[in-house]
Amino acid sequence: MKHFLKETDFKLHEVAEVMALARDLKAKRGRHTPPVLAGQTWAMIFSKSSTRTRVSFEVGIHELGGNPLFLNRNDIQLGRGESIEDTARVLSRFVHGLIVRTFDHSDVERLAAAGTVPVINALTDFLHPCQIYTDAFTVAERWSKTTGGDLLASLRGRKIAFIGDTACNMAYSWILGANLFGMKVSLGGPEAFRPTPEFDAFLAQQGFAGGYEFTSDPVAAVREADIVYTDVWVSMGKEEESRERLRIMAPFQVTSDLFAKAKPDAYFLHCLPAHPGEEVTQAVLDNPRSIIFDQAENRLHVQKAIMAVLAQTPRN
Ligand code: CP
Ligand code: NVA
């Protein structure tokens, strides 16, 4: 059974397939056939808030001919202590795929191990792979004009600077994705929020030991960057640490001055939701090189492609 829990769950040729299909689905929205999820129901188990992920998956499943079934964790028995394994076994008897947003990454791994349908990670405390594939697609759409339309090739050798909380799910996911796509990653954040030794061990186990640079100098981090990326300083579940996080990360706000230190044709990306005045200024969000709303839209096209590829992969 094939799942999408982390960036490296797809080989490079499959990433290329996802990206090419996303481009096709985007170009032919409303006219694309066949409806690859016809007759299928995909359940979405969410334990955290969501605007983009929830809506893009619900709309995407519908557009592929399937039926989305949204389940708040607390509405089902999982929220009252039924085991993850039994939940996976039972839901697998009813639905054709599971899309899961939760806290512990091990929860999505356990659902995948116990169930018999594909599981998609819709964000955990550790990784947010749907977002990273979308982000990469969003810049590749633009850069691939110089690589004869080859989306993946257009990413190779590019540099992303990730600024702020460099120990959050978005930073970790981008480090993994960038290494898979052949990109360079430079992190600019406080020492207290650099990737943990556990993450470094995971990265090494994925075949990318030492696959990033870290500095506490944000200017050094963005130098020669093709993408400047940031994310909220207080991720979901970290609200109790808000005051301390905002204080420690204050020097890492992405301002127009900082953005100007990247390449002149660099793009600004943010997974959203943004907190203007915290991790980024409104001026940067409004900069013509900020492509955050194309990025948000592309969640729909890329996730449809991911579901289509998983649905068409033979099951064992
Ligand atoms: N970027 C993202 O995942 O947004 P939501 O939390 O709104 O789904
Ligand atoms: N790091 C953020 C990402 C939100 C899409 C969080 O986990 O809250």
Side-chain angles (χ1 to χ4, degrees):
M1 178 58 53
K2 192 150 184 76
H3 305 286
F4 185 59
L5 308 185
K6 57 184 182 298
E7 285 71 5
T8 43
D9 283 346
F10 285 142
K11 304 276 172 256
L12 270 183
H13 73 272
E14 293 168 318
V15 182
E17 186 186 346
V18 166
M19 289 205 181
L21 183 54
R23 177 165 54 190
D24 197 43
L25 288 164
K26 182 173 184 174
K28 297 185 187 144
R29 188 173 178 200
R31 294 176 286 117
H32 194 273
T33 51
V36 291
L37 300 188
Q40 297 197 6
T41 295
W42 283 52
M44 301 167 56
I45 308 174
F46 277 44
S47 307
K48 291 177 173 172
S49 305
S50 173
T51 299
R52 281 143 288 268
T53 310
R54 175 177 177 173
V55 176
S56 56
F57 266 114
E58 289 203 33
V59 171
I61 293 165
H62 177 75
E63 290 188 3
L64 290 175
N67 174 44
L69 177 65
F70 185 82
L71 302 168
N72 185 310
R73 180 192 176 99
N74 293 325
D75 292 342
I76 58 176
Q77 298 288 7
L78 183 65
R80 296 184 63 249
E82 186 168 18
S83 76
I84 287 175
E85 283 72 18
D86 281 1
T87 303
R89 291 180 190 114
V90 171
L91 290 180
S92 292
R93 300 292 179 104
F94 300 131
V95 305
H96 302 83
L98 297 176
I99 297 157
V100 185
R101 170 168 284 204
T102 189
F103 294 87
D104 285 349
H105 189 74
S106 61
D107 287 0
V108 291
E109 294 176 332
R110 288 169 60 194
L111 280 163
T116 54
V117 296
V119 177
I120 295 177
N121 175 2
L123 181 145
T124 64
D125 287 346
F126 188 51
L127 297 173
H128 194 5
C130 293
Q131 182 74 57
I132 273 56
Y133 272 41
T134 301
D135 299 342
F137 174 76
T138 304
V139 284
E141 272 186 313
R142 289 162 171 78
W143 291 336
S144 60
K145 294 184 180 82
T146 62
T147 54
D150 187 330
L151 292 158
L152 207 44
S154 76
L155 299 174
R156 240 166 265 141
R158 299 279 188 167
K159 172 176 167 178
I160 177 167
F162 194 101
I163 307 298
D165 180 1
T166 67
C168 77
N169 45 11
M170 282 303 309
Y172 285 179
S173 238
W174 248 116
I175 295 168
L176 187 55
N179 278 277
L180 178 67
F181 306 146
M183 297 171 65
K184 290 175 272 191
V185 202
S186 175
L187 308 177
E191 275 291 334
F193 290 94
R194 67 184 292 164
T196 62
E198 291 74 24
F199 175 76
D200 289 344
F202 165 79
L203 195 61
Q205 180 241 327
Q206 293 297 306
F208 303 125
Y212 63 87
E213 285 180 357
F214 175 87
T215 168
S216 284
D217 176 359
V219 175
V222 302
R223 203 168 286 138
E224 290 301 306
D226 298 286
I227 302 171
V228 175
Y229 206 112
T230 192
D231 182 19
V232 292
W233 288 341
V234 184
S235 285
M236 291 179 278
K238 305 287 185 195
E239 290 78 6
E240 284 180 6
E241 302 171 11
S242 290
R243 188 194 289 257
E244 188 68 353
R245 283 171 165 264
L246 265 52
R247 186 183 66 75
I248 294 175
M249 293 193 218
F252 296 90
Q253 184 182 64
V254 179
T255 61
S256 297
D257 275 357
L258 183 64
F259 187 41
K261 303 269 184 344
K263 282 187 180 167
D265 58 353
Y267 289 112
F268 173 75
L269 276 79
H270 190 310
C271 56
L272 304 180
H275 289 92
E278 293 183 12
E279 76 276 6
V280 60
T281 61
Q282 189 62 49
V284 171
L285 292 166
D286 294 340
N287 187 296
R289 304 294 300 176
S290 161
I291 51 174
I292 54 177
F293 297 110
D294 287 344
Q295 200 187 340
E297 178 196 325
N298 283 336
R299 296 292 301 279
L300 173 69
H301 312 302
V302 171
Q303 289 161 189
K304 281 167 75 177
I306 290 169
M307 288 187 286
V309 167
L310 288 177
Q312 285 163 357
T313 303
R315 300 186 179 185
N316 50 20

